[in-house]
Amino acid sequence: MTASDLPVVAYTAAQVRELDRIAIEEFAVPGIVLMKRAGRAAFEQLLAYWPKPEAITVFCGVGNNAGDGYIIAGLAAQQNFNVRVVTVAETDKLTGDARLAFEFAKQASVPIEPFSDDTSLDGFGVVVDALLGTGLNGEVRSRYQQAIELINRGQQPVLAVDIPSGLCADTGNVLGCSVVASVTVTFIGLKQGLLTGDAADYVGDVRFDSLSVPDDVYKSLVPAATRLSYNSLSTLLPPRARVSHKGHFGHVLVVGGNHGMGGAALMAAQAAARCGAGLISVATQPEHVSAFLARQPEIMVKPTETVADLVRLLSAASVVVVGPGLGLDEWAQHFLSAIIKSPLPMVIDADGLNLIAEAPALLEQAKGAKTIVLTPHPAEAARLLGVETQEINRDRFAAAAKLAANYNAAVVLKGAGSVVATTHALTVSGYGNPGMAGGGMGDVLSGVIGALLAQHLTAFDAAQLGTVVHGLAADRAAANGGERGLLATDLLPHLRQLLNGM
């Protein structure tokens, strides 16, 4: 399944449980019917990936996730596959629909054995993880941890039912340990935790099945997050009029490139140029001017040593990008203060964020600006919120939302599954790859968003579209030459193509 095949909206675990309740209690869909549909959907996906498994081991816990596993095992037995269930919980604790599913597996003559230190996966071709499901909110207990470690040590492919056991359905955070799945089949509502944080290393291919829940079930809940889509966002930039001129598409001023850090400001400026801004200026240290002109003559490079110099440049700009290579010295501090006092829409990145984190007074001035987009990575976000980086990664959705509220800004919390937040919405990107783990990628993103602001997109739309095309450009660049050794400047030609619908 490609990303475009997944639902656009995503939910928290509690919301999906509520959708399940509404379907059962208000739309008269019996719980066991939903469980049978889930088991069949997962089993069909198993056969789609591995049509002739030599054997199947289904690991079951004690809740409804285990019930799905028992259904899978029963269906496999009915088709004469070599299947067994390994149960980590005592089967006499099974109740309700899970008990009915257990009885179905027994009637199909599925061997059911308790997990023990002697449990082996030798000779078993596919493993099904139906241990814990979405209800987990604390660290995995020791017995389940042992089962997860056994699964992960094996060489067998793994299908996770609803979510890999040990992964938080709301945050994508690993709760002590987690099954590493080859495929995850999730039901009723796409869990937002599958889309960000640690999840990328654990979920494998994500498949979705609504279990034929009536559409009206979904009308009573507002989804927790929306999954970003290039196809839907690419229409935000209208076709250009034939009589267009450079003044129609804004003037981006990039402020940065302190001593020895000119490359960061140059890459931001190049990205703004390739993404369609009409004019691009750079305010930087005098030592960088000749190198900038040699590399990109379309950019106007201004040696800028004083605030008075900067103010003159601000008066001609329509958007300012501040932070790439800015540094933390007095030059940087004075320039950032002048920019924040200006009425211009602004993108603040890198050292611009670090300076704001160090100077609370700047924050109050920033709140008065008309349009602000912040683009922190987790460590920068942690400094802005006065917490440890681990706390940001523990719940990226909550961290992005808090930043947006504290700064009255659109926020792009970068990383695997970048989260874009405003005070009223959360969205998450599925584009990008590990090749982006290198210097300059964030500088390029800031220039992309600056160019989109200059072309009259709102802060939220510029942040969303910028995040999407940035990640997708990296995916295209990696497809051409691999992830290792991917450079930030490799994205530039792909950015231009993507923003032209190519």
Side-chain angles (χ1 to χ4, degrees), residues 74-121:
L75 293 172
Q78 288 179 343
Q79 295 193 25
N80 298 315
F81 286 102
N82 179 14
V83 60
R84 64 170 176 168
V85 168
V86 175
T87 178
V88 180
E90 297 177 9
T91 56
D92 59 6
K93 294 182 179 179
L94 292 166
T95 60
D97 296 329
R99 167 59 62 176
L100 296 176
F102 169 74
E103 297 296 339
F104 168 70
K106 283 183 61 179
Q107 291 169 9
S109 300
V110 175
I112 300 172
E113 61 186 65
F115 174 73
S116 72
D117 294 340
D118 296 325
T119 299
S120 171
L121 293 178

Side-chain angles (χ1 to χ4, degrees), residues 41 87 102 112 130 163 203-204 221 232 234 255 263 265 281 307 322 342 372 403 409 414 418 449 460 474:
T87 178
F102 169 74
I112 300 172
I163 193 167
V203 299
L221 288 182
S232 61
S234 61
V255 181
S281 294
V307 170
V322 58
S342 81
I372 303 173
L403 282 167
K414 296 179 290 195
S418 292
I449 296 173
F460 191 38

Side-chain angles (χ1 to χ4, degrees), residues 96-470:
D97 296 329
R99 167 59 62 176
L100 296 176
F102 169 74
E103 297 296 339
F104 168 70
K106 283 183 61 179
Q107 291 169 9
S109 300
V110 175
I112 300 172
E113 61 186 65
F115 174 73
S116 72
D117 294 340
D118 296 325
T119 299
S120 171
L121 293 178
D122 293 342
F124 279 82
V126 177
V127 171
V128 175
D129 163 30
L131 285 169
L132 292 170
T134 63
L136 184 68
N137 52 27
E139 289 215 348
V140 175
R141 296 196 301 273
S142 61
R143 198 63 174 158
Y144 284 89
Q145 181 176 343
Q146 292 172 22
I148 290 171
E149 290 172 350
L150 174 64
I151 293 170
N152 289 344
R153 284 198 304 270
Q155 301 300 310
Q156 296 82 2
V158 178
L159 182 142
V161 178
D162 214 17
I163 193 167
S165 293
L167 193 70
C168 179
D170 290 347
T171 68
N173 191 43
V174 172
L175 299 172
C177 66
S178 174
V179 166
V180 179
S182 310
V183 180
T184 298
V185 187
T186 195
F187 312 116
I188 298 182
L190 180 64
K191 287 74 183 173
Q192 65 177 28
L194 295 172
L195 305 175
T196 194
D198 295 327
D201 283 329
Y202 292 87
V203 299
D205 292 344
V206 178
R207 301 275 174 157
F208 173 77
D209 197 297
S210 69
L211 307 185
S212 298
V213 166
D215 291 343
D216 287 347
V217 169
Y218 298 91
K219 293 180 179 179
S220 59
L221 288 182
V222 176
T226 301
R227 191 175 56 81
L228 294 176
S229 164
Y230 168 73
N231 289 337
S232 61
L233 290 168
S234 61
T235 60
L236 288 172
L237 287 178
R240 293 190 167 186
R242 296 298 90 192
V243 294
S244 297
H245 60 76
K246 60 190 177 185
H248 291 143
F249 306 112
H251 184 167
V252 175
L253 173 63
V254 176
V255 181
N258 209 330
H259 299 297
M261 297 185 288
L266 175 59
M267 286 185 284
Q270 288 181 300
R274 284 299 185 188
C275 291
L279 293 167
I280 299 94
S281 294
V282 179
T284 189
Q285 291 285 3
E287 67 201 56
H288 300 308
V289 172
S290 58
F292 275 49
L293 292 175
R295 182 66 179 264
Q296 201 71 57
E298 296 88 352
I299 294 169
M300 297 176 286
V301 190
K302 308 292 184 179
T304 313
E305 297 184 273
T306 68
V307 170
D309 295 334
L310 177 63
V311 169
R312 283 191 291 273
L313 296 175
L314 289 169
S315 66
S318 57
V319 172
V320 61
V321 174
V322 58
L326 184 67
L328 301 172
D329 61 9
E330 287 189 5
W331 182 83
Q333 294 169 22
H334 293 325
F335 276 27
L336 179 62
S337 180
I339 290 165
I340 286 177
K341 291 174 183 175
S342 81
L344 292 176
M346 62 190 67
V347 182
I348 307 176
D349 185 39
D351 283 334
L353 300 171
N354 293 327
L355 286 171
I356 288 175
E358 292 178 359
L362 285 175
L363 169 60
E364 295 305 316
Q365 295 172 0
K367 286 183 177 179
K370 184 171 67 173
T371 300
I372 303 173
V373 180
L374 308 179
T375 58
H377 56 56
E380 291 161 348
R383 295 181 197 115
L384 289 168
L385 292 177
V387 300
E388 297 297 321
T389 304
Q390 296 92 314
E391 186 169 337
I392 301 297
N393 289 329
R394 194 171 293 124
D395 191 339
R396 289 168 52 79
F397 289 103
K402 188 172 183 180
L403 282 167
N406 284 4
Y407 287 79
N408 192 27
V411 173
V412 180
L413 179 56
K414 296 179 290 195
S418 292
V419 178
V420 183
T422 66
T423 55
H424 61 275
L426 280 172
T427 58
V428 59
S429 173
Y431 304 98
N433 63 77
M436 300 175 78
M441 287 290 175
D443 304 313
V444 168
L445 176 61
S446 66
V448 173
I449 296 173
L452 297 175
L453 287 175
Q455 293 170 84
H456 313 298
L457 295 193
T458 66
F460 191 38
D461 285 345
Q464 292 184 104
L465 179 56
T467 300
V468 164
V469 297
H470 184 249

